[in-house]
Amino acid sequence: MARETWATRMGFILAAVGSAVGLGNIWRFPFITGQEGGGAFLLVYLLFVALIGFPAILVEFVIGRYTNLNPVGAIRELGSGAWNYLGWLFVVIGFVILSYYSVVAGWFLRYTLIGATDGYAVAGPEEATALFGTVSTGLDSLLFHAVFMAIVIGIIAAGVRKGIEVGVKVMVPAIIALLLGLAAYAFTLDASGAAYSYYLSPDFSYLVANWTSILPAAAGQAFFTLSLGMGVMITYASYLGEDRNLASDAGVIVVLDTLIAVIVGFVVFPFLFAAGIDPSTTTVNAIFVSLTSAFASIPGGRILGIVFFAMVGIAALSSAISILEVLVSYMIDEVGVGRVPAAASIGAAVFLLGVPVTIDLIFLDLYDLLADGVLLVLGSLLLALFVGWVVPDLGREELRKGIAGGGGLDAAWIWIVRIPIVIVVVVSLYLGVVDYVDFLTGDFADWLAAR
């Protein structure tokens, strides 16, 4: 069957930005930043995005556009031997991430509905925590997990141009507009000065003392928020024409995504400080508990809450469709299944994998620490090795297309991919594996023992 393409450059950029701008930016970024020292983490994260994220996204772009295939087919066409199995890693990563991603996105839909019907009537953090417990597990969580996946399936079933491209042209500008409005409001809060100081002033002594924790957290966050290591950018680039300047498009995507992540900090941390919550103590429930408490106590909080939670739900949707598209494109290209049945069947399988997360949040940690700290980093490492050392000439040639003159960009890029990226990612992967093993032998083992 004929392969679909993007109708416009803007459609591709917004789809890629929409993939990157999701729960990774708005839900995950604030609590990881809080846990890892505020400004110290932000500094390392920004360095990762600039020095590692930008070259790494080009790795996926050149593979996708050259082959015009999904990740499994693309790697199989270019590689041989054991490399043929690399594409399957991205299918596994997509399944794992989307399964719990959908559950968390469902929480935001539920909180939006709570604001519209009952308002955020909580007396303080204790009641807000109790509300989160009700929403995050049980029937509510399962129901909204199903609702969110149904929406994602519907958009993907409509296709690249009529589904994904049309959707992101509405969603991404809406996300940016709402986020800027919330940041402007947060600036007026009395606690904003202290929040900005915490967020923007790195404590270098803290960074030196905690680099083994900060480094893998920053690497995982950079890969997660840029949708790297899971095959999304390979898939999206496979719908591109050869006249596109990949470096230019990648630069726009990375800058927009990072800018939005930074703005999220200007929204969330003033609300955290206004609610009297220490950012270093935040966990996966940070946004829900702290912001619900804040919205219950500030003027116009109900409307602000509805707007905020709805915005995050939209952002989550723009990311989720990109992950499901990776899995659906495999079914279309490799198995010959139509788009609608592929979207429905894979979406149902993802839903089932996410069900344990709706039962106990220990499974959220089990999935997230594996995906973020290990699988995404491993996927990026293997792609860097593949393009940098197995097919470097192909990568350089593909990057030069659409770039007038080139200016030696391709040569500099391939050596960045070959050495600095590989070294940094290997260190990050090692630290991520250590953290995950600690979790399995600690918190998860304790949870199992208590059953």
Side-chain angles (χ1 to χ4, degrees):
M1 63 182 66
R3 188 167 179 80
E4 296 185 81
T5 60
W6 301 108
T8 63
R9 180 200 182 201
M10 184 57 67
F12 162 66
I13 290 177
L14 288 179
V17 170
S19 172
V21 178
L23 294 184
N25 283 55
I26 304 175
W27 163 65
R28 202 173 187 282
F29 177 74
F31 81 78
I32 292 294
T33 302
Q35 289 177 346
E36 301 297 340
F41 174 83
L42 179 64
L43 175 63
V44 177
Y45 166 73
L46 292 177
L47 288 174
F48 253 105
V49 169
L51 302 178
I52 305 299
F54 175 70
I57 201 171
L58 287 174
V59 169
E60 299 204 21
F61 278 1
V62 298
I63 292 175
R65 187 173 69 176
Y66 180 84
T67 61
N68 296 129
L69 292 171
N70 67 88
V72 175
I75 301 299
R76 187 179 61 241
E77 178 173 306
L78 298 178
S80 60
W83 287 110
N84 287 337
Y85 300 99
L86 174 57
W88 284 101
L89 175 62
F90 303 124
V91 173
V92 172
I93 293 172
F95 261 104
V96 173
I97 290 180
L98 188 53
S99 68
Y100 71 85
Y101 196 102
S102 174
V103 176
V104 176
W107 300 345
F108 284 96
L109 296 183
R110 182 71 179 101
Y111 268 83
T112 304
L113 184 60
I114 288 172
T117 56
D118 303 323
Y120 305 105
V122 294
E126 293 78 14
E127 288 193 16
T129 301
L131 175 62
F132 175 75
T134 301
V135 171
S136 61
T137 55
L139 186 58
D140 262 13
S141 182
L142 181 65
L143 175 61
F144 281 88
H145 170 39
V147 169
F148 183 81
M149 276 307 305
I151 296 172
V152 175
I153 291 169
I155 293 175
I156 292 298
V160 173
R161 292 191 178 191
K162 294 180 179 179
I164 301 174
E165 191 164 349
V166 170
V168 297
K169 283 181 177 179
V170 175
M171 288 186 283
V172 175
I175 294 166
I176 295 173
L178 293 172
L179 197 56
L180 288 173
L182 288 167
Y185 180 86
F187 178 77
T188 68
L189 299 176
D190 293 338
S192 62
Y196 297 155
S197 177
Y198 169 82
Y199 182 47
L200 300 176
S201 302
D203 183 342
F204 290 100
S205 61
Y206 181 92
L207 178 56
V208 171
N210 296 276
W211 71 272
T212 56
S213 172
I214 294 174
L215 186 64
Q221 181 62 27
F223 294 136
F224 194 105
T225 190
L226 289 172
S227 297
L228 298 176
M230 63 180 83
V232 168
M233 294 305 173
I234 293 177
T235 303
Y236 275 9
S238 73
Y239 303 127
L240 278 176
E242 293 188 357
D243 59 334
R244 292 292 337 126
N245 183 328
L246 295 181
S248 174
D249 289 351
V252 172
I253 292 164
V254 169
V255 168
L256 281 176
D257 172 72
T258 306
L259 181 61
I260 290 172
V262 172
I263 293 173
V264 168
F266 286 104
V267 175
V268 173
F269 287 110
F271 282 123
L272 285 174
F273 276 75
I277 295 175
D278 181 358
S280 65
T281 65
T282 57
T283 59
V284 295
N285 68 354
I287 282 183
F288 301 97
V289 173
S290 60
L291 295 189
T292 302
S293 300
F295 293 144
S297 60
I298 60 178
R302 181 173 183 176
I303 299 300
L304 287 172
I306 294 172
V307 170
F308 179 83
F309 289 121
M311 176 199 68
V312 182
I314 294 170
L317 183 60
S318 67
S319 294
I321 60 178
S322 69
I323 302 173
L324 186 59
E325 178 63 20
V326 173
L327 307 177
V328 169
S329 69
Y330 163 76
M331 292 291 287
I332 294 172
D333 293 342
E334 304 297 316
V335 185
V337 176
R339 176 169 286 274
V340 173
S345 59
I346 294 179
V350 168
F351 168 79
L352 292 175
L353 184 60
V355 168
V357 181
T358 71
I359 298 172
D360 196 304
L361 292 185
I362 193 70
F363 289 102
L364 176 61
D365 291 333
L366 183 70
Y367 290 1
D368 185 51
L369 290 174
L370 173 64
D372 176 70
V374 180
L375 296 181
L376 288 180
V377 184
L378 176 62
S380 294
L381 171 62
L382 293 177
L383 276 180
L385 290 171
F386 181 71
V387 172
W389 294 100
V390 179
V391 292
D393 293 338
L394 180 152
R396 291 181 60 182
E397 178 185 352
E398 192 64 29
L399 184 61
R400 285 196 297 266
K401 294 177 181 177
I403 302 177
L409 173 65
D410 60 307
W413 167 71
I414 205 68
W415 280 107
I416 291 172
V417 171
R418 281 177 164 176
I419 299 177
I421 285 184
V422 169
I423 292 173
V424 173
V425 175
V426 164
V427 173
S428 299
L429 178 60
Y430 169 76
L431 295 174
V433 170
V434 170
D435 284 346
Y436 193 58
V437 171
D438 287 344
F439 165 76
L440 292 177
T441 56
D443 292 347
F444 191 64
D446 293 342
W447 181 85
L448 288 175
R451 293 298 169 280

